[in-house]
Amino acid sequence: MKHLFNKVKKQKSIIIFLCISLIMITALVIHAFDGFYGTTGIVDGTDIIAICDGTVIDQEIDIAKASNVETIYLAFGTYDRENEGKLDVQLLRNGVVIENWTVDYKSLVNGDYIGLDLTKPGKFSYDDDFRIRLTGHCETGNEIAIFTHESKNIKIFVDEDSILEDTQICYRLTLRNYSMRNALIVVCIIISAVLLCMVLFNMNEIIVMSFIFIIFIILYSKVYPGYMVPDELQHYLRAYEVANVSLVSEKVGDNGCGGNFLPANIEKINTNEEIEVDNTEVFTYGNTSLYSPISYLPQVVGMKAAQLFSNKVKAAFYGARIGNAICAIILCILALNIIPFGRRVLFILMMFPTSMQEMISVSPDGFTISLSFFLLAYILRLRFTEKKVRTRDIIILAVTGVTIALCKIVYVVLLLLLFMIPNRKFNSKMAAIISRLSIIGVAGILNLIWLKISAGFLVEFNPGVNPGEQVRYVLFNIFDYFKVCLRSSIEYLDYWTYQMIGDSLGPLMIRVVQFVWLSLLVLLVYEICSFYDNEVRATALDLCILMFTFLAGAALILTSLYVQSTKVGNDYIVGIQGRYFTPIIGLLLFFMILIKQRKNIEYGLDVKIKARGSYYYMLIFTCNMYAVIDVAKFCM
């Protein structure tokens, strides 16, 4: 009887899970249906053509877009008066009229665009010839005009006997990308179906997490066009310089900003142009010239690999992106495999939309974030398992730690985590001391060398910003600077939090539905509060190291932005983005996990909690799918 009861209870929970999952998927599909439209840019008119009674204007119009055309907008002039009359507008395809509109002159506003909706919106072929034809009907004194602008190789026919060369009427198009929308809906349904099967068959959580992570790396890569991630153009130029020109930038321009001579067409990633190696010009990228060459290692490898097969500009750019994404996949999946506890918490950090955005871009921030996750997982493994520290482990720690420090010097504090590894794990106490100090020493020396090299590129980017004067201000006003940090943290903590998770993507203009960052934050809190593992025993030293390292990292981040981006003596720190805290936020979260575990032990809890995490996976999938759809809508 008990066995039958448990079986019924299990089936009931599965049915509930499937129903809730179906609701989530349905909400995603509905969200995808709303949007995926955009309007081509406004063109300012430089001239007009008068439309009198019987005037016929005929011109070729390019509406053979990849997206479906829904509305055509035309800009008219009324001579700042109310006119009486009607305008016949026709859309022709290969000489055959396919749309007719009648515009009342009284409805026109001088200089404004008026929309003409297509009765059958559709995707048109590039092989077809489309023309717009305007015919005026009015009495004398009620003429209107249509605005025009210069456009090479375009002709306007007026009354069939007059031709205006290199002139085009001002028009805009509203486009709806049905193909992208439908593709994302199909992908959403397929992935959710596979994920449901993996959860219901209780597959290994590392396999499920790896599947979700790789799928979304691919999806984010697909929907993000070039240069959509913050500073991606500057990082791409620096990566190309490291890969093909020089490891160190040159001082260019009047202010000695960092840059170099690069191919003149190196920015044209949306064309099929070959890289013009023999035709160079000066490019400046002062902010990214400060980054060490090691920061761009995955991008350089990907770029050089792509250039073995193609010399096109877009091959170099997307090769760099692919290299960065593959590196992120390798490091993050390794971290998931080796971390001894808190895997779900770490995976949530990996699946922050902001983290994913950086990992699929040319920005070295994705590399830094992935390395920080791997280093944290590796040190926790050495600390909380019986594994002894071998020579291979020391080499891995050294390479990972030094690389992180060279990616951004503020993250050198992560090397303090080495002191969490007990001396007994090494061959001797002396070996432990030498290993730690050697790694930290090498990282420190290499950073000092790079700081010496890159110091020449520290120029004044913003008015009132003077790094040297700001450093002096901080050193001689420590207490005032502490108040600046405290004031800034209180004022912007919520902004940094939801921006770090994924509230504002791309160039901080793609607003994702609040459900995403709020759900991921709640899920993170839930996973920390519900954590328990019999095998985890943290000491006070472990907790002190985690918290001190986090606070030191946060202090360095705040100070670096105060020095580089903020006016001397300013009351607030400006220029801080939430993603800067991603490499160190794991320290705070695992500090909270270990505090919770110590409380569990103190209260005598001794049952290891196991959960299948079905809702956990579906919620992470849903949140990131929302983010992918919102990015696709913005970038269509």
Side-chain angles (χ1 to χ4, degrees), residues 247-264:
L247 296 179
V248 182
S249 299
E250 300 288 340
K251 290 184 178 181
V252 295
D254 297 332
N255 62 350
C257 185
N260 218 319
F261 285 88
L262 303 179

Side-chain angles (χ1 to χ4, degrees), residues 181-424:
R181 183 198 69 185
N182 295 339
L184 281 175
I185 290 174
V186 171
V187 167
C188 173
I189 294 173
I190 292 174
I191 295 174
S192 58
V194 174
L195 185 57
L196 285 173
C197 292
M198 297 177 80
V199 170
L200 292 175
F201 285 101
N202 203 21
M203 292 189 68
N204 182 281
E205 70 173 1
I206 296 176
I207 295 176
V208 179
M209 290 176 179
S210 300
F211 169 76
I212 296 173
F213 186 77
I214 294 173
I215 285 295
F216 277 104
I217 283 286
I218 295 171
L219 288 178
Y220 279 104
S221 299
K222 179 64 178 176
V223 299
Y224 268 97
Y227 308 149
M228 186 53 64
V229 178
D231 298 327
E232 190 171 25
L233 171 58
Q234 288 73 26
H235 285 302
Y236 166 56
L237 296 176
R238 174 66 174 138
Y240 183 86
E241 177 190 42
V242 172
N244 299 282
V245 182
S246 172
L247 296 179
V248 182
S249 299
E250 300 288 340
K251 290 184 178 181
V252 295
D254 297 332
N255 62 350
C257 185
N260 218 319
F261 285 88
L262 303 179
N265 65 341
I266 195 62
E267 295 177 304
K268 299 179 179 179
I269 61 172
N270 293 321
T271 68
N272 284 316
E273 293 184 24
E274 301 273 336
I275 298 175
E276 299 174 353
V277 180
D278 299 326
N279 178 23
T280 62
E281 63 180 54
V282 174
F283 286 87
T284 60
Y285 33 93
N287 57 333
T288 57
S289 63
L290 299 170
Y291 283 73
S292 73
I294 199 70
S295 307
Y296 297 96
L297 181 59
Q299 296 90 323
V300 169
V301 172
M303 187 180 294
K304 298 299 284 186
Q307 288 177 323
L308 293 175
F309 302 95
S310 173
N311 193 41
K312 294 184 185 296
V313 177
K314 63 182 180 182
F317 176 81
Y318 287 104
R321 269 194 170 190
I322 292 171
N324 203 25
I326 291 175
C327 183
I329 290 173
I330 293 172
L331 288 171
C332 288
I333 291 180
L334 284 174
L336 292 173
N337 273 273
I338 64 177
I339 196 165
F341 63 92
R343 183 176 291 115
R344 293 186 186 181
V345 171
L346 184 63
F347 185 60
I348 294 173
L349 297 182
M350 293 177 181
M351 293 304 300
F352 281 173
T354 301
S355 300
M356 300 294 288
Q357 166 185 278
E358 298 302 318
M359 291 177 188
I360 59 90
S361 73
V362 184
S363 169
D365 288 351
F367 184 36
T368 307
I369 291 170
S370 305
L371 278 170
S372 67
F373 292 157
F374 176 76
L375 180 65
L376 176 61
Y378 207 91
I379 288 177
L380 291 177
R381 176 176 178 245
L382 292 174
R383 166 62 186 89
F384 291 101
T385 66
E386 296 303 317
K387 177 179 170 56
K388 290 285 186 179
V389 177
R390 295 171 293 179
T391 303
R392 184 183 70 178
D393 299 315
I394 295 173
I395 294 173
I396 291 173
L397 290 171
V399 171
T400 306
V402 171
T403 303
I404 289 176
L406 285 172
C407 283
K408 276 191 178 179
I409 192 171
V410 295
Y411 301 126
V412 71
V413 295
L414 290 173
L415 295 181
L416 294 176
L417 297 177
L418 294 170
F419 290 96
M420 287 183 66
I421 306 173
N423 291 336
R424 58 182 172 79

Side-chain angles (χ1 to χ4, degrees), residues 381-581:
R381 176 176 178 245
L382 292 174
R383 166 62 186 89
F384 291 101
T385 66
E386 296 303 317
K387 177 179 170 56
K388 290 285 186 179
V389 177
R390 295 171 293 179
T391 303
R392 184 183 70 178
D393 299 315
I394 295 173
I395 294 173
I396 291 173
L397 290 171
V399 171
T400 306
V402 171
T403 303
I404 289 176
L406 285 172
C407 283
K408 276 191 178 179
I409 192 171
V410 295
Y411 301 126
V412 71
V413 295
L414 290 173
L415 295 181
L416 294 176
L417 297 177
L418 294 170
F419 290 96
M420 287 183 66
I421 306 173
N423 291 336
R424 58 182 172 79
K425 293 292 188 78
F426 294 84
N427 290 333
S428 64
K429 183 177 180 180
M430 183 58 65
I433 295 173
I434 292 174
S435 298
R436 296 189 190 105
L437 295 182
S438 296
I439 294 173
I440 295 173
V442 170
I445 292 171
L446 291 178
N447 264 288
L448 289 174
I449 293 173
W450 179 250
L451 284 175
K452 179 69 175 176
I453 295 172
S454 62
F457 304 127
L458 278 172
V459 297
E460 185 176 320
F461 295 110
N462 301 313
V465 176
N466 188 315
E469 289 297 322
Q470 192 76 293
V471 169
R472 293 188 190 92
Y473 173 81
V474 171
L475 292 176
F476 290 100
N477 300 272
I478 294 293
F479 183 70
D480 288 340
Y481 175 61
F482 174 77
K483 290 193 292 185
V484 169
C485 292
L486 189 60
R487 189 183 303 119
S488 300
S489 299
I490 294 173
E491 180 72 19
Y492 299 116
L493 181 61
D494 57 340
Y495 173 72
W496 295 340
T497 300
Y498 56 69
Q499 192 188 73
M500 174 179 63
I501 297 173
D503 172 71
S504 303
L505 299 178
L508 305 182
M509 294 189 300
I510 305 176
R511 298 305 301 271
V512 180
V513 292
Q514 288 190 340
F515 167 83
V516 172
W517 72 264
L518 190 58
S519 297
L520 290 173
L521 181 60
V522 170
L523 184 61
L524 199 57
V525 172
Y526 172 79
E527 288 297 329
I528 292 171
C529 293
S530 62
F531 174 81
Y532 186 84
D533 190 328
N534 284 333
E535 299 174 0
V536 178
R537 296 290 190 275
T539 65
L541 180 61
D542 295 326
L543 299 174
C544 289
I545 292 173
L546 283 170
M547 180 53 73
F548 178 79
T549 305
F550 170 75
L551 293 175
L556 284 176
I557 292 170
L558 296 175
T559 303
S560 67
L561 270 298
Y562 194 63
V563 169
Q564 295 181 29
S565 305
T566 310
K567 293 181 180 180
V568 177
N570 200 49
D571 290 337
Y572 289 91
I573 303 171
V574 300
I576 294 181
Q577 297 180 31
R579 59 190 167 88
Y580 300 158
F581 297 99

